[in-house]
Amino acid sequence: MTSQLFTPIALRGLTQPNRIVVAPMCQYSAIDGSATDWHILHLGSLAVAGPGLVMIEATGVEAEGRITPGCLGLYSDANEAALSRAVDACRAYGKAPIGIQLAHAGRKASCHVPWQGGGPLAAGDGAWQTVGPSAVSFDDGWHTPRALDRAGMDHVKAAFLAAAGRAQRLGLDLIEMHSAHGYLMHQFLSPFSNRRTDEYGGSLENRMRFPLEVARALRQTWPEDKPFGVRISASEWMDGGFTIDEAVIYCRALKAIGCDYICVSSGGNAAKARIPFGPNYQVPFAARIRKEAGIATRAVGLIVEPHQAEAILAEGEADMVALARGFLDDPHWVWHAAEALGADAVYPPQYLRCKPATWPGARIARGEPKTKVA
Ligand SMILES: Cc1cc2nc3c(=O)[nH]c(=O)nc-3n(C[C@H](O)[C@H](O)[C@H](O)COP(=O)(O)O)c2cc1C
């Protein structure tokens, strides 16, 4: 039987050669928002390894929208030039389409990188004023954001559009608006962070208004033949937060404005939420949104094994899967999945000799002869 995972998928003018996506992963290795050689190594090693799409990490649309001082940005000519080095290297040696996640961290900006604790920066560490829908901090001890007024919202929207223009100049294949994990768009959606009393707060219709406004503008500015997606947190895992029922309504509205897919994650906006981590723990959300909003979904979160990923697609729960830690652990996950599922994967010519079919002696030497599953 043909593997679903290795069946191409077309989104507008882009055909992803398979349905395996490298999830966006912050590397905290940029300088003033500009990509470094680390990004060439990191993205390059994944772009040559056969995925259907590589997503570039959450990329701040303005300096104040970065989570940490090490986060990637796309708000200056220098940022654009630096990222073009990494993108060009991926293009020169790899065949994977490349997308970028455009982000604004809102009240969760101005933090240390994770390996320095990840908490809010102190004034002496270069902390900056954060913004949010309301002046409500993420948790005790976190920065209190300045509530955005209309001029501030216009400024954020313009920053998203300018970054999308830069993404287009870089020749990227897809943009994704980050509306998950407690960052600015999610902050507008959630009653925990949005306490506004104007037309951007209160009812779901009001809480969705600004994210939809930005998404609509992005869709209009981004070339019509290129896909535009949104990553959402479909649940906050806590009473009183944004719910999966609301997420379905949000995704219907996103579909109506021309969004092509939803990457379905969860959590990130409620510091005290207890998330039931486990294999496929977010997949039921992707399945519901796919069914009830009628839009392509990308499932993500503790999808680790090839047969597990294949089953998600075969059972119609999602159209694509994304892996993050799985790719850090095994950058050649796609090749190993192809082997397990009896499918073909793309190898760069330099690495063709590692393809197990050409390498029987070595497999036996490894003591792990692998059987192909038809
Ligand atoms: C190192 C690292 C960086 C991440 N950075 C981002 C990011 O930039 N944007 C985002 O939406 N999610 C980010 N995530 C979350 C992943 O994209 C993914 O949703 C999550 O890790 C669950 O998938 P996994 O179980 O396959 O790792 C990051 C995760 C990791 C491990």
Side-chain angles (χ1 to χ4, degrees):
M1 209 178 79
T2 316
S3 158
Q4 296 287 308
L5 209 50
F6 285 89
T7 303
I9 179 168
L11 296 169
R12 297 196 184 230
L14 174 69
T15 299
Q16 294 181 199
N18 59 55
R19 289 156 187 256
I20 306 162
V21 176
V22 176
M25 282 182 273
C26 292
Q27 296 297 296
Y28 314 100
S29 300
I31 297 172
D32 291 333
S34 291
T36 59
D37 287 353
W38 176 259
H39 295 89
I40 299 178
L41 295 171
H42 166 69
L43 295 170
S45 68
L46 295 163
V48 298
L53 178 73
V54 175
M55 283 303 300
I56 297 174
E57 68 197 75
T59 301
V61 297
E62 62 172 343
E64 295 76 12
R66 292 171 303 160
I67 307 166
T68 76
C71 284
L72 200 60
L74 195 48
Y75 49 79
S76 71
D77 292 347
N79 294 164
E80 188 179 324
L83 193 54
S84 78
R85 288 181 65 229
V87 171
D88 290 351
C90 292
R91 294 257 189 257
Y93 297 104
K95 290 197 166 38
I98 306 171
I100 190 165
Q101 187 183 52
L102 299 179
H104 195 299
R107 68 176 184 167
K108 283 176 76 177
S110 186
C111 286
H112 285 285
V113 301
W115 51 86
Q116 286 169 356
L121 290 171
D125 298 326
W128 61 87
Q129 175 64 56
T130 59
V131 296
S134 305
V136 179
S137 67
F138 172 63
D139 199 8
D140 299 339
W142 282 64
H143 301 304
T144 301
R146 174 173 56 80
L148 285 167
D149 58 12
R150 186 60 245 188
M153 288 157 72
D154 285 342
H155 173 82
V156 167
K157 183 163 88 176
F160 269 95
L161 295 184
R166 292 185 187 278
Q168 167 61 0
R169 280 208 292 277
L170 289 168
L172 293 172
D173 297 294
L174 170 157
I175 55 170
E176 178 174 293
M177 183 178 87
H178 202 341
S179 182
H181 302 167
Y183 299 118
L184 186 61
M185 296 301 151
H186 184 185
Q187 289 161 29
F188 269 88
L189 294 170
S190 169
F192 292 143
S193 38
N194 183 343
R195 307 271 172 82
R196 299 177 77 101
T197 52
D198 62 3
E199 69 269 41
Y200 296 97
S203 65
L204 174 63
E205 192 185 354
N206 284 357
R207 283 180 277 123
M208 295 193 307
R209 197 180 303 280
F210 185 58
L212 288 176
E213 208 177 293
V214 176
R216 192 179 297 108
L218 283 171
R219 179 63 277 178
Q220 282 166 1
T221 201
W222 187 239
E224 215 183 317
D225 63 330
K226 292 188 179 187
F228 164 67
V230 174
R231 185 175 248 207
I232 67 160
S233 281
S235 169
E236 312 223 58
W237 301 109
M238 204 158 138
D239 288 345
F242 184 70
T243 65
I244 176 63
D245 294 337
E246 292 185 324
V248 168
I249 296 168
Y250 181 44
C251 293
R252 281 192 195 126
L254 287 167
K255 186 189 175 190
I257 61 173
C259 175
D260 299 298
Y261 71 88
I262 307 290
C263 187
V264 186
S265 190
S266 73
N269 196 41
K272 294 182 175 55
R274 298 174 74 89
I275 302 181
F277 294 110
N280 289 10
Y281 72 108
Q282 297 172 150
V283 173
F285 299 136
R288 250 197 86 179
I289 288 166
R290 184 172 191 261
K291 190 161 168 240
E292 296 180 26
I295 188 165
T297 57
R298 199 199 268 161
V300 68
L302 288 171
I303 300 168
V304 180
E305 296 293 336
H307 287 282
Q308 176 194 5
E310 177 73 15
I312 292 166
L313 302 188
E315 284 163 27
E317 292 176 301
D319 300 272
M320 296 162 272
V321 297
L323 284 76
R325 289 164 293 186
F327 270 112
L328 298 186
D329 180 49
D330 176 8
H332 298 149
W333 192 91
V334 176
W335 300 346
H336 302 143
E339 195 186 341
L341 298 169
D344 282 330
V346 175
Y347 286 69
Q350 294 91 333
Y351 282 10
L352 267 176
R353 285 169 64 186
C354 78
K355 203 170 182 174
T358 69
W359 203 35
R363 265 197 296 155
I364 292 161
R366 274 202 316 237
E368 44 181 64
K370 290 183 179 160
T371 45
K372 286 196 172 188
V373 178

